[in-house]
Amino acid sequence: QVQLVESGGGLVQAGDSLTLSCAASQRTLYAMGWLRQPPGKEREFVAAITWSGDSTYYADSVKGRFTISRDNAKNTVYLQMNSLKPEDTAVYYCAAGPSLVAVSTTPGYWGQGTQVTVSS
């Protein structure tokens, strides 16, 4: 069973950048990605990447600002977040699943989450 551990969250100001990391406990052929849950709202999809890294998928709300990448040698996926906005404030969860669609809807594996707070 794959375990996912996120890191890199914190408090930043609007317009700042932040990079989240997610380390998997073992090598995985799964697609991986990120979802987030803003305060008082439901969890929502953010970004996903295939095992090979040749395909990515983003929510419209982050397209052009966030970049997902992975380093399979380190079993790690990253989320580079630029031009952060207060509405990006959320708990960010790493997820893994058999496909991009699975990661965006019903991931098989979740991390514990890391808080990102963007002040205005």
Side-chain angles (χ1 to χ4, degrees), residues 15-102:
D16 284 352
S17 298
L18 197 63
T19 300
L20 304 182
S21 300
C22 171
S25 58
Q26 61 192 61
R27 184 175 182 270
T28 174
L29 299 181
Y30 284 145
M32 296 182 70
W34 296 89
L35 293 88
R36 68 186 182 186
Q37 186 163 17
K41 297 184 180 181
E42 294 186 352
R43 196 171 298 180
E44 61 186 25
F45 169 72
V46 176
I49 187 168
T50 54
W51 170 80
S52 64
D54 61 351
S55 292
T56 56
Y57 176 40
Y58 295 94
D60 288 342
S61 59
V62 306
K63 204 171 293 183
R65 299 189 298 122
F66 291 11
T67 302
I68 189 170
S69 61
R70 67 189 296 167
D71 183 343
N72 288 334
K74 297 181 179 179
N75 299 330
T76 300
V77 64
Y78 305 95
L79 185 68
Q80 172 69 43
M81 304 184 292
N82 298 329
S83 302
L84 282 162
K85 304 175 181 180
E87 50 263 45
D88 294 319
T89 295
V91 178
Y92 283 71
Y93 296 91
C94 181
S99 67
L100 295 181
V101 172

Side-chain angles (χ1 to χ4, degrees), residues 2-25:
V2 178
Q3 294 182 332
L4 305 174
V5 179
E6 304 95 336
S7 61
L11 172 63
V12 297
Q13 293 186 333
D16 284 352
S17 298
L18 197 63
T19 300
L20 304 182
S21 300
C22 171
S25 58

